[in-house]
Each structure stands twice: as C-alpha cells, then as structure tokens.
Amino acid sequence: MQDWLKKVEAAKNLEELENIRIGVFGKKGFLAAEFLRMKELDPEAKKLLAKELNDIKESVGSALEAKKEKLAAQALKEQLEKEKIDVTLLHTKSSAGALHPVLSTMDKMIEYFISMNFSIETGPIVENDFNNFEALNLPKHHPARDMQDTFYMKDSMLLRTHTSSVQIRTMLSQKPPIRMIAPGAVCRRDYDLTHVPMFHQVEGLVVEEGDKVSFANLKSLLEEFLKYMFGDVKVRFRPSFFPFTEPSAEVDISCVFCGGDGCRVCKHTGWLEVLGCGIVDPNVFKAVGYKNVSGYAFGLGVERFSMLLNNTSDMRSLFEGDLRLMEQFV
Ligand code: DAH
C-alpha cells in the first residue's frame, strides 16, 4: 500500500495519475488480481487479505481523488498562463472611425457660435405651416410653398424646408434678448449634383430690445465667422431678397479653389455664395408678438460648407454611406 501511495504522491500530471489508477483499480489491475487470488486462500487468510485490500482501496482511492484535484488545478493554471493575451500588442490591421464630414463641419460652426455667446436651439423636422411659412412672412401664394419644393403631410403639417422655423419657435417661447443658432436637418424635393432631399442648415437669430441691432453688427459677425471657417478669404455682401428679412443680403467668399482668379467651381466669377442674411422683417416680429425690438438673422447650408472645405464635387456622395468616402476623413 505504501508503494501505491508514494506513486500517487509522485505523479507529475493527470496522465501519469490515470495510469496509476488503472494499475490499482483497472480490470487487470492490482486489486482485481488480488481478489482473484483470494479464492485459493483459507477463510482466515481470506479475511485478513480482504481487510487489507479494502484498506488499500479506500486510502489509495482517496489519495488519487485528492491528487487529481491538485493536478487539475495546476493544469488549469498552466493553461491560463500559456494562453494569456497581451492586450497592449498592436493589431496589424486596426481601423479607426471618423466623424462624417457634414457633422464635423457643423461641429466647427457650433463651436464658433458658442464662443460668441449664442445658444443652441432645436425644433422638430415635422413642422406646422405657421412656423415654417406664415410667421416668416411667406404668404400663401409664395413660390417656396410650391408642392414641388415642399414635402407636405396631413393636416397642413410639412417637413421643414429651412431651420428658420426654429427662429419662430424660439421667439414664441422666450423673451428678448435672443442670441441663438439652430443647426439641423431640413427637407426639399430636390435631387441633383448640388441638391439632395434632406440636408442641413444652421440658422442664426439675434434680437435686442429697442434699435440696438444694426446691419454692421451682422456684417462683422459673419465676416469673422467666414474667416474662422475658411481662413484668409475675402467676404462680400450682395443685396438680395428674403421674405423674412429687409434689407436682405447674400454673402460670397472669394473662391477657395482659385483664390478669386476664376475656375470651374466658382463658374469663373472668383466668388462663391455661402449664406443668406438680413435685418429681421417687422412682419416676423408682429407674427410672434414682439414689440420695440430689432434683430438680424442668417441661414446657411452645412453641406455646401463641407463640400467647399473638403473639395467634394457631388453632394449626393455625402449621403451614400460609401466607406471609401469616409475613410478619407479618418
Ligand atoms: N431660410 C433661408 C433658406 O433656406 C436661408 C436664410 C436666408 C435664413 C436669410 C435667414 C436669412 O435667416 O436671413 O434658404
């Protein structure tokens, strides 16, 4: 018995231990052979041997069990040690994500206006006629209301055609002074190289009590903003018309591709139109019940800025989700 116990103790792995178990308990093992031998013995010797064998069975059995547990734990430890993964090793083919160029352009704009103390306001894309048209001095017959431009829904609801609707929402829910921008998605029935049915705008509105707000304020804000976005460009204001502002202007920057010499992108004019703006029309203030205030507003298309900043020629490519476009912005 002592021999067996020593062997169990000396076993170095589970395989060796199993061989010992078979040597003792197996069909052709030590115990089987001894029990067979018992038949030939006289009753007294039989009894002695039976006791001895049972003792061996018991103590070698439990020694095997205990050793097995120990070896299994050790084997597991060794395996874990061997298969440890070094998570600090670099993967050979790692890929990083990136912000969509429209989103990163919008972020840059938002950063600028936050630094100029503007608040960020939002509104729903499904909008009512009053906020999108009526209150913005766009009367019933105005061409912008045409079925060809606007996605109409039930109960005179529509998909907002510009974020100017958020001007109205903000003025209806807050008192002046107001200093806000409204970034967000807008929808129009359009689809070609430079138009897609859903795109993004940033609207701006500043309202003060009395006649504190002037066109000069608007001009200096937008000039600084455009220099922040595009670097060292020339900025010019051209008289224009919008129903919600009077006077109104469109703003051009010197072409970022040819520096103003004339090229295909600026249609050989040297200038690129980038936003619309003006002094808020009194009819807009009337619609929201504001009295004795003055204000200016502006609106721009984010995709247009993004395309100029990143030299993208087809606006549709910004919405096709092709990873080859995205990979250029990582
Ligand atoms: N809402 C105009 C558009 O979608 C952009 C715009 C122009 C907004 C002039 C304004 C503005 O606030 O004063 O084309």
Side-chain angles (χ1 to χ4, degrees):
M1 163 144 90
Q2 289 310 321
D3 278 1
W4 289 117
L5 289 177
K6 265 188 205 144
K7 272 188 186 166
V8 169
E9 194 44 49
K12 280 196 228 42
N13 53 47
L14 286 168
E15 206 182 335
E16 258 179 49
L17 195 69
E18 178 61 5
N19 284 336
I20 297 167
R21 190 192 67 78
I22 293 168
V24 182
F25 292 95
K27 263 193 217 150
K28 290 178 189 154
F30 168 75
L31 286 176
E34 286 296 287
F35 277 116
L36 216 63
R37 192 166 65 89
M38 225 159 39
K39 281 189 214 153
E40 293 145 28
L41 297 177
D42 56 68
E44 203 45 38
K46 220 183 218 173
K47 221 168 147 186
L48 273 175
L49 184 62
K51 189 182 175 316
E52 193 187 332
L53 292 181
N54 277 332
D55 281 353
I56 292 177
K57 213 168 152 183
E58 222 165 86
S59 45
V60 175
S62 54
L64 275 169
E65 225 25 69
K67 184 74 179 177
K68 193 174 169 185
E69 237 170 72
K70 217 162 138 189
L71 286 176
Q74 190 186 321
L76 181 67
K77 202 172 147 210
E78 274 166 22
Q79 192 188 1
L80 288 177
E81 204 60 44
K82 212 164 63 195
E83 293 175 5
K84 200 156 78 180
I85 295 170
D86 183 352
V87 290
T88 63
L89 280 178
L90 277 181
H91 193 295
T92 46
K93 210 178 145 214
S94 63
S95 51
L99 279 186
H100 191 281
V102 171
L103 205 60
S104 59
T105 305
M106 187 126 96
D107 278 353
K108 192 169 172 182
M109 294 173 174
I110 291 172
E111 241 165 57
Y112 179 82
F113 286 109
I114 284 182
S115 81
M116 299 303 279
N117 231 358
F118 280 67
S119 68
I120 314 291
E121 306 292 342
T122 54
I125 297 181
V126 178
E127 189 48 281
N128 61 43
D129 185 275
F130 180 79
N131 291 338
N132 195 81
F133 290 134
E134 196 74 43
L136 286 160
N137 199 27
L138 275 138
K140 290 273 185 291
H141 58 266
H142 196 281
R145 289 184 169 220
D146 200 303
M147 294 283 284
Q148 287 183 340
D149 297 318
T150 309
F151 288 104
Y152 282 98
M153 308 177 75
K154 276 196 286 193
D155 306 325
S156 77
M157 297 297 280
L158 44 86
L159 298 184
R160 68 180 179 195
T161 57
H162 50 191
T163 43
S164 306
S165 57
V166 185
Q167 277 192 26
I168 303 302
R169 287 183 167 269
T170 308
M171 286 193 281
L172 287 174
S173 63
Q174 295 176 29
K175 286 199 196 92
I178 283 177
R179 205 172 162 79
M180 58 144 269
I181 57 162
V186 301
C187 302
R188 287 184 202 174
R189 299 175 68 131
D190 255 336
Y191 195 62
D192 61 35
L193 263 187
T194 50
H195 297 91
V196 286
M198 191 281 302
F199 58 103
H200 299 82
Q201 289 189 331
V202 171
E203 179 81 14
L205 174 71
V206 170
V207 182
E208 300 258 3
E209 275 172 286
D211 56 3
K212 277 185 241 159
V213 172
S214 73
F215 205 98
N217 302 146
L218 170 64
K219 203 164 171 245
S220 75
L221 174 82
L222 291 180
E223 265 171 10
E224 285 306 312
F225 165 65
L226 291 171
K227 291 202 161 113
Y228 174 80
M229 292 302 291
F230 293 106
D232 192 18
V233 287
K234 283 198 223 100
V235 179
R236 79 174 182 191
F237 286 67
R238 259 185 306 106
S240 185
F241 173 79
F242 296 102
F244 26 88
T245 43
E246 180 58 36
S248 304
E250 275 173 322
V251 185
D252 299 339
I253 55 168
S254 52
C255 180
V256 288
F257 299 108
C258 64
D261 295 340
C263 68
R264 204 180 49 82
V265 181
C266 63
K267 300 200 184 80
H268 302 282
T269 62
W271 296 96
L272 298 163
E273 184 198 318
V274 288
L275 54 82
C277 63
I279 296 294
V280 179
D281 193 291
N283 282 341
V284 175
F285 288 140
K286 211 194 262 170
V288 296
Y290 272 20
K291 287 194 186 96
N292 298 323
V293 292
S294 56
Y296 62 72
F298 54 90
L300 59 88
V302 184
E303 279 74 8
R304 172 123 177 99
F305 275 63
S306 166
M307 287 171 77
L308 293 175
L309 287 170
N310 300 307
N311 203 357
T312 314
S313 53
D314 186 345
M315 191 183 283
R316 293 170 293 197
S317 69
L318 293 174
F319 297 95
E320 279 162 358
D322 190 331
L323 280 181
R324 285 171 300 182
L325 177 106
M326 289 303 297
E327 278 161 2
Q328 298 172 55
F329 297 97
V330 174

